[in-house]
């Protein structure tokens, strides 16, 4: 009897990759994909790494594939934008060992700056896209993806979503089977994408795609479930689960291979049902194909283009059932920086000085909201530095004297280095603040090249951010303690006043970092409190105002960072050892 285990979708992908004989895995952490690598690294005989960014991770996996072993790269949807350069070219090249791109979309924007449908990128890059609907399929499709990759000489995208990656389901486990390494053979016409070679490979890709579309009806990913023919659904991914919950007796065409799509399969299914409905999250991807073939169907006129779907949405839109959500109501909890977060003191100083910040992707993006309200822009990873450079070149030095670029240590290593290089090369006079909290905080405390640890916990020499900046011939690079607000304020004033490029590295570990110890807490001295509210300005959730206007400190939240103590001019708050 085979062994079964309840697994997260992301853990199931990792298990499937291990069973499929994957030998090399690379990734950059990003919710909702992070747990794939964090689980895969626990298995033996697999090399798994955190790469500096998704482009590098993709190239590592491509190199392993060319060398003849099965490899994979994992990322969230916006990470695929970073990796798109190698993705589009390796589509032409194809594979030696099987090559899988695991990409996690985020319908509903739970932890992302946009909603994006990876199926569209698969179509644009001429790469097949598989989409599992539960943990079992996440496991099985991962294994089958490598067979598909090698059979058709193509990289494959496994597209998941937040709901699939972070939901649990039963997975049937198998032993690891490692295929024999494929020999490397020099093949310039296939592997070197110069224009002459690329033209020939483009023809190959078009033929490959046509062949896969013809084979799609017989591949083990698509399934027809005939039931009541009064209504039929074409669906994929987690949306399939909602259809089965609300319409268990309906006929369903479940697409696991969502690109390329079999016209024959869809025409055959459509001919057997009276009413055809396409139920798919985000873009009308399947729907566009079905309508282009002249097949009557309903889709986005019934459902939204935006956000995450649910069984309740299906009930409301098709059955007219009004769902009473009042029993499930919870208080709104806006995102805030954690107690003891070093970014809070940084933003307090910037706000005090009236300085705007071009922001980036990370915990520190929360500096955009009240009460700090310092971050003015957020586009993508690494963009803060480049955008501030663009502002200067558009409006001049005087315009940016009240601006800084703010970026985290992990994001700086991701794409901030290239941006800072641009400023050094093109004679910027901007001030860049690197908020070094010794981890990749937003996605759950993963390591990176400047922390001194790899994905498997091995200690390695940490890359010095200070030395990287100095190596770019930036004369003014200064490191300062995030919680020394007096010194931080002095440094910010000094560096923003320069007519030269400068970098301020603001250092203090993330308050939630494993092993971080807090020897102090803060308590109020109520008789000294003047009710001025200065200690409330940074918005620390541990500092609260009593009904009489004096301050209390929540011991369960306080980390003793001392920011509030520094702001009180009357000795009404004091640190004490615990």
């Amino acid at each position: 009897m085979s062994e079964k285990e309840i697994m997260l979708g992301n853990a199931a992908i990792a298990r499937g990759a291990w069973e499929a004989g994957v030998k090399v895995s690379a990734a950059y952490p990003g919710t909702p994909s992070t747990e794939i690598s964090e689980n895969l690294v626990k298995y033996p005989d697999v090399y798994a790494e955190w790469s500096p960014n998704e482009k590098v991770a993709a190239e590592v996996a491509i190199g392993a594939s060319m060398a003849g072993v099965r490899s994979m790269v994992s990322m969230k949807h916006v990470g695929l934008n970073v990796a798109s350069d190698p993705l589009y070219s390796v589509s032409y090249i194809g594979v030696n060992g099987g090559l899988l791109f695991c990409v996690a979309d985020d319908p509903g924007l739970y932890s992302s700056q946009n909603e994006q449908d990876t199926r569209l990128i698969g179509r644009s890059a001429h790469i097949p896209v598989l989409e599992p609907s539960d943990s079992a399929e996440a496991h099985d499709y991962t294994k089958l993806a490598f067979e598909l990759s090698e059979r058709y000489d193509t990289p494959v995208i496994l597209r998941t979503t937040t709901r699939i990656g972070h939901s649990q389901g039963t997975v049937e486990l198998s032993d690891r089977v490692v295929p024999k390494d494929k020999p490397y053979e020099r093949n310039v016409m296939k592997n070197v994408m110069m224009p002459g070679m690329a033209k020939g490979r483009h023809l190959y890709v078009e033929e490959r795609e046509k062949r896969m579309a013809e084979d799609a009806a017989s591949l083990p990913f698509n399934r027809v479930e005939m039931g009541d023919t009064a209504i039929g659904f074409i669906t994929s991914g987690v949306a399939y689960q909602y259809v089965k919950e609300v319409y268990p007796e309906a006929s369903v065409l479940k697409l696991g291979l969502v690109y390329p799509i079999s016209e024959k399969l869809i025409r055959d299914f459509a001919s057997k049902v009276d009413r055809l409905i396409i139920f798919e999250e985000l873009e009308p991807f399947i729907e566009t194909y079905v309508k282009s073939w002249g097949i009557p169907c309903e889709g986005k006129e019934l459902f939204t283009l935006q956000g995450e779907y649910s069984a309740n949405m299906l009930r409301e839109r098709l059955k007219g059932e009004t769902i009473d959500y009042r029993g499930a109501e919870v208080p709104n909890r806006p995102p805030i920086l954690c107690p003891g977060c070093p970014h809070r003191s940084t933003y307090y100083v910037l706000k005090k000085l009236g300085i705007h910040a071009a922001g980036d992707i990370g915990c520190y993006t929360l500096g955009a909201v009240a009460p700090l309200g310092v971050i003015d822009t957020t586009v993508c990873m690494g963009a803060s530095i480049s955008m501030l450079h663009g502002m200067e070149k558009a409006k001049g030095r005087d315009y940016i004297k009240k601006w800084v670029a703010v970026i985290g240590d992990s994001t700086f290593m991701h794409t901030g280095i290239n941006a800072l290089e641009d400023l050094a090369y093109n004679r910027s006079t901007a001030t860049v603040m690197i908020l070094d909290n010794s981890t990749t905080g937003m996605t759950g405390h993963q390591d990176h090249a400047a922390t001194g640890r790899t994905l498997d916990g091995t200690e390695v020499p940490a890359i010095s951010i200070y030395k990287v900046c100095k190596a770019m011939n930036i004369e003014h690079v200064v490191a300062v303690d995030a919680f020394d607000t007096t010194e931080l304020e002095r440094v910010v004033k000094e560096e923003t006043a320069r007519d030269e490029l400068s970098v301020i590295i603001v250092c203090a570990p993330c308050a939630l970092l494993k092993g971080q110890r807090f020897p102090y807490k803060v308590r109020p001295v109520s008789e000294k409190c003047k009710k001025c509210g200065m200690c409330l300005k940074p918005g620390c959730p541990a500092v609260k105002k009593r009904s009489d206007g004096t301050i209390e400190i929540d011991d369960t939240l306080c980390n003793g960072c001392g920011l509030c103590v520094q702001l009180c001019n009357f000795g009404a708050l004091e640190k004490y050892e615990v």
Side-chain angles (χ1 to χ4, degrees):
M1 188 174 183
S2 61
E3 182 183 354
K4 294 184 178 180
E5 187 174 322
I6 295 175
M7 286 184 162
L8 283 176
N10 283 342
I13 292 170
R15 176 72 190 199
W18 180 75
E19 290 180 8
V22 164
K23 289 189 175 181
V24 174
S25 167
Y28 182 83
T31 306
S33 70
T34 307
E35 298 87 0
I36 297 172
S37 295
E38 290 179 333
N39 279 275
L40 186 56
V41 74
K42 299 174 185 177
Y43 291 101
D45 305 318
V46 180
Y47 171 78
E49 72 170 34
W50 290 135
S51 303
N53 62 36
E54 296 85 358
K55 177 182 184 292
V56 173
E59 291 157 354
V60 169
I62 291 168
S65 169
M66 282 192 175
V69 305
R70 289 182 169 182
S71 61
M72 64 185 283
V73 54
S74 305
M75 63 199 73
K76 67 184 295 177
H77 62 291
V78 289
L80 190 58
N81 300 334
V82 181
S84 63
D85 195 358
L87 176 81
Y88 278 75
S89 291
V90 78
S91 173
Y92 279 28
I93 290 170
V95 304
N96 191 15
L99 175 60
L100 180 61
F101 282 72
C102 297
V103 185
D105 287 1
D106 190 20
L109 292 166
Y110 288 100
S111 58
S112 307
Q113 64 267 40
N114 64 44
E115 287 179 304
Q116 186 171 303
D117 196 326
T118 292
R119 297 176 299 174
L120 300 174
I121 296 179
R123 180 177 67 189
S124 177
H126 303 285
I127 293 176
V129 181
L130 304 177
E131 185 172 12
S133 64
D134 56 27
S135 293
E137 287 188 350
H139 168 270
D140 296 345
Y141 283 13
T142 300
K143 296 174 70 173
L144 290 167
F146 289 100
E147 297 177 16
L148 192 72
S149 175
E150 291 165 356
R151 175 177 171 182
Y152 290 94
D153 188 16
T154 181
V156 173
I157 292 173
L158 182 77
R159 183 228 188 193
T160 70
T161 60
T162 304
R163 193 62 53 190
I164 294 298
H166 290 169
S167 295
Q168 292 185 320
T170 303
V171 175
E172 189 170 326
L173 308 182
S174 300
D175 294 331
R176 176 170 166 87
V177 177
V178 182
K180 185 177 179 181
D181 289 6
K182 292 179 169 57
Y184 171 75
E185 296 179 3
R186 187 172 189 269
N187 187 341
V188 173
M189 296 303 295
K190 182 179 190 292
N191 294 335
V192 179
M193 285 301 98
M194 293 167 62
M197 294 76 153
K199 289 176 183 177
R201 291 303 294 179
H202 191 180
L203 294 174
Y204 169 80
V205 166
E206 297 292 346
E207 184 278 329
R208 175 185 74 196
E209 197 167 46
K210 180 180 178 183
R211 182 160 44 98
M212 289 187 68
E214 292 170 350
D215 295 346
S218 60
L219 291 172
F221 304 103
N222 302 324
R223 184 169 72 239
V224 175
E225 301 172 357
M226 293 307 300
D228 183 357
T229 57
I231 187 169
F233 291 89
I234 301 178
T235 188
S236 66
V238 74
Y240 165 79
Q241 304 293 350
Y242 306 144
V243 169
K244 296 300 290 183
E245 179 180 336
V246 180
Y247 285 92
E249 304 303 321
S251 295
V252 179
L253 169 55
K254 178 191 176 299
L255 296 178
L257 178 65
V258 293
Y259 184 78
I261 294 177
S262 168
E263 180 179 352
K264 179 179 180 298
L265 183 64
I266 288 178
R267 283 195 181 279
D268 182 64
F269 177 77
S271 69
K272 296 175 181 176
V273 297
D274 300 329
R275 184 185 183 191
L276 182 63
I277 295 175
I278 317 295
F279 192 61
E280 57 181 332
E281 289 182 324
L282 298 182
E283 297 300 316
F285 184 79
I286 301 168
E287 180 183 344
T288 299
Y289 278 100
V290 175
K291 287 183 174 178
S292 74
W293 295 326
I295 300 172
C297 66
E298 301 165 80
K300 292 301 177 183
E301 64 266 38
L302 300 172
F303 312 109
T304 176
L305 276 163
Q306 178 271 334
E308 187 178 35
Y309 280 13
S310 67
N312 286 337
M313 175 191 287
L314 201 55
R315 290 189 184 96
E316 289 176 344
R317 302 295 171 86
L318 292 189
K319 292 189 173 184
E321 298 175 1
T322 302
I323 310 300
D324 186 354
Y325 295 105
R326 286 177 297 178
E329 284 183 359
V330 294
N332 286 330
R333 188 174 71 89
I336 57 173
L337 295 171
C338 302
C341 177
H343 304 330
R344 179 175 282 106
S345 57
T346 303
Y347 290 149
Y348 171 77
V349 168
L350 293 180
K351 185 172 184 178
K352 179 182 178 181
L353 297 176
I355 291 177
H356 300 265
D360 226 291
I361 304 297
C363 298
Y364 44 88
T365 311
L366 296 172
V369 299
L372 296 165
V374 172
I375 297 291
D376 280 30
T377 70
T378 301
V379 175
C380 64
M381 295 188 78
S384 59
I385 299 174
S386 314
M387 288 174 62
L388 186 58
H389 181 58
M391 291 178 185
E392 180 186 10
K393 297 309 179 186
K395 291 293 187 72
R397 166 62 187 159
D398 288 343
Y399 183 81
I400 64 162
K401 282 184 176 179
K402 283 295 184 179
W403 280 81
V404 295
V406 172
I407 190 168
D409 50 325
S410 180
T411 311
F412 178 73
M413 302 303 290
H414 179 277
T415 34
I417 291 177
N418 297 115
L420 186 61
E421 172 193 346
D422 185 36
L423 272 64
Y425 174 56
N426 285 303
R427 297 170 296 169
S428 171
T429 62
T431 299
V432 175
M433 299 184 72
I434 302 172
L435 309 188
D436 184 359
N437 65 353
S438 305
T439 191
T440 311
M442 180 67 86
T443 54
H445 304 118
Q446 292 76 32
D447 287 297
H448 56 76
T451 66
R453 283 176 302 277
T454 61
L455 174 56
D456 64 4
T458 302
E459 292 193 7
V460 295
I463 292 176
S464 167
I465 293 175
Y466 181 90
K467 290 181 179 179
V468 167
C469 297
K470 293 296 287 185
M472 295 183 190
N473 295 321
I474 301 172
E475 182 179 350
H476 305 288
V477 182
V478 58
V480 61
D481 184 344
F483 291 113
D484 187 346
T485 55
T486 301
E487 177 65 6
L488 180 58
E489 182 176 340
R490 184 195 69 78
V491 169
V492 171
K493 285 180 178 177
E494 185 174 291
E495 298 308 322
T496 54
R498 291 187 189 280
D499 289 332
E500 297 177 75
L501 176 61
S502 62
V503 176
I504 304 171
I505 305 172
V506 188
C507 307
C510 170
L512 301 183
L513 197 59
K514 185 177 179 181
Q516 178 77 343
R517 297 184 70 252
F518 300 97
Y520 300 99
K521 285 187 180 293
V522 174
R523 60 191 170 203
V525 184
S526 298
E527 62 272 18
K528 294 184 178 181
C529 182
K530 304 298 183 183
K531 306 177 184 180
C532 65
M534 280 296 296
C535 57
L536 296 169
K537 287 183 178 294
C540 177
V543 184
K544 300 177 181 180
K545 189 176 184 179
R546 295 192 182 105
S547 57
D548 66 356
T550 60
I551 296 302
E552 65 176 339
I553 304 292
D554 187 337
D555 281 345
T556 63
L557 295 177
C558 180
N559 287 327
C561 71
L563 174 60
C564 57
V565 177
Q566 295 181 64
L567 301 182
C568 181
N569 294 320
F570 307 104
L573 295 168
E574 64 180 13
K575 291 176 72 171
Y576 66 96
E577 286 193 60
V578 294

